[in-house]
Amino acid sequence: MNGLVLEGGGMRGLYTVGVLEFLLDNQLVFPYVIGVSAGACNALSYLSGQHGRNLRINTDYVDDKRYMGFRSLLKTRSFFGMDMIFDEIPNQLDPFDYDALQTCKSRLVIGVTDCETGMPRYYEKEEAFTRGSTQVVRASSSIPVFSPIVEHEGRKLLDGGASDPIPVRRALQDGCDKVVIVLTRNRDYIKEPQGFRAVYRRVFRKLPEMTACLDRRHTVYNDTIQFVRELEQEGRALVIAPEQPLKIGRFERDRAKLKALYEEGYREAERMKEQILAFFNE
């Protein structure tokens, strides 16, 4: 089984959106997809076959104060407007096709972080979604400090990228022989220790394992990148990533920059079409 692994990264995920749109345009739907944070969000419209939806969602509402900004942070304790993103948009403004996701033959796995253990947890699409509910993917996208903890089935959950930013090991554990990995950082990127340590230590003072998770986040990321390089050398991984450091951040609101990043992802996937086809068909 060949798999698709999607990194998160907030609005940097527009690069992933471009890659996924190329895959849809070429009827390339992987039998196994795993994602965290924005990667998990973008996987949904890819597997439901809703062309253009990810791009619309990530660009049409960036000027809406309910979607993103300090007004949302002050009102809801989340920089991103989670109620709008995970309720109003998928259920009213730009409806998500829940039935198409559930009937899709591909296996979807969503990674989250358990705040009480500081370790990753993974949910299959059958257990993560019911009609009108996106609680698990909401948790996976809830950035520590910038979003409140999501309660789900008695667990306290946050951003899947905090504990497993590139869930390639889980993909292999789940039976993937080869993987295509979409990154939202350039291949030479080295993650530095987490900033705002004093802030998150205070926020998670009653959840010491979550603090420990954030303390080691850079080490986990850099170790995973090294593991990905080893998989490439073995011919078991194909990486699609920006060639240069991105000039946009997690909270970017400039539509022109976001669309340019989308186009960059699409072009890179198009350039690598033959390699992608080889991994997809083996």
Side-chain angles (χ1 to χ4, degrees):
M1 177 173 64
N2 298 324
L4 181 64
V5 179
L6 306 177
E7 184 182 9
M11 302 308 282
R12 293 194 306 272
L14 264 295
Y15 181 87
T16 302
V17 171
V19 174
L20 296 180
E21 197 72 6
F22 172 82
L23 296 180
L24 278 180
D25 286 346
N26 288 272
Q27 293 82 50
L28 298 174
V29 180
F30 280 77
Y32 176 97
V33 181
I34 185 169
V36 296
S37 195
C41 292
N42 293 329
L44 302 184
S45 295
Y46 166 64
L47 291 180
S48 65
Q50 293 178 269
H51 287 260
R53 184 174 182 273
N54 278 330
L55 179 61
R56 292 195 303 273
I57 290 172
N58 284 281
T59 57
D60 286 0
Y61 301 104
V62 289
D63 292 328
D64 192 316
K65 294 179 180 179
R66 298 171 299 165
Y67 183 80
M68 178 173 59
F70 287 102
R71 181 176 181 271
S72 174
L73 182 63
L74 292 172
K75 187 175 180 180
T76 68
R77 295 187 297 119
S78 177
F79 192 86
F80 286 100
M82 306 302 267
D83 288 340
M84 181 182 188
I85 294 172
F86 294 103
D87 184 7
E88 190 172 355
I89 290 176
N91 295 318
Q92 299 176 41
L93 299 178
D94 200 327
F96 176 68
D97 193 338
Y98 292 95
D99 290 336
L101 177 68
Q102 294 293 4
T103 57
C104 174
K105 295 181 180 179
S106 298
R107 181 179 176 187
L108 171 63
V109 180
I110 296 170
V112 301
T113 298
D114 188 319
C115 297
E116 294 179 313
T117 67
M119 300 301 291
R121 291 186 62 82
Y122 306 93
Y123 290 86
E124 305 276 344
K125 69 178 180 182
E126 291 79 9
E127 58 186 341
F129 295 96
T130 56
R131 178 171 292 279
S133 174
T134 54
Q135 193 77 341
V136 169
V137 73
R138 174 175 180 153
S140 185
S141 305
S142 294
I143 304 169
V145 178
F146 290 95
S147 297
I149 290 172
V150 174
E151 302 273 354
H152 180 67
E153 296 181 343
R155 299 185 183 277
K156 300 179 186 296
L157 307 176
L158 278 175
D159 181 9
S163 57
D164 192 6
I166 309 167
V168 60
R169 288 184 173 88
R170 178 68 186 202
L172 299 179
Q173 181 181 327
D174 283 344
C176 290
D177 302 303
K178 292 188 174 183
V179 289
V180 173
I181 303 168
V182 184
L183 303 179
T184 58
R185 295 282 196 182
N186 55 293
R187 295 169 61 92
D188 298 328
Y189 174 76
I190 298 175
K191 194 169 188 62
E192 300 293 334
Q194 192 77 21
F196 304 107
R197 191 167 189 269
V199 175
Y200 70 70
R201 285 181 67 85
R202 183 169 65 250
V203 171
F204 300 116
R205 62 189 180 278
K206 296 182 179 180
L207 294 164
E209 295 302 326
M210 188 65 207
T211 298
C213 170
L214 295 174
D215 282 343
R216 63 176 178 266
R217 187 175 187 177
H218 66 292
T219 301
V220 172
Y221 186 93
N222 296 332
D223 286 350
T224 303
I225 288 294
Q226 180 56 40
F227 180 62
V228 168
R229 293 192 183 106
E230 293 169 5
L231 290 175
E232 286 184 282
Q233 292 174 356
E234 296 170 4
R236 300 179 64 196
L238 177 67
V239 174
I240 304 174
E243 292 187 359
Q244 302 295 328
L246 298 183
K247 296 182 179 180
I248 74 167
R250 185 187 292 269
F251 304 132
E252 183 62 62
R253 303 180 73 158
D254 187 312
R255 280 195 181 89
K257 290 182 179 179
L258 294 171
K259 289 182 178 178
L261 184 56
Y262 160 84
E263 291 167 359
E264 180 182 345
Y266 194 102
R267 286 195 305 270
E268 184 62 11
E270 189 172 40
R271 185 186 70 82
M272 297 178 65
K273 180 176 180 178
E274 295 305 317
Q275 294 168 274
I276 295 171
L277 283 171
F279 264 71
F280 184 83
N281 292 322
E282 286 184 3

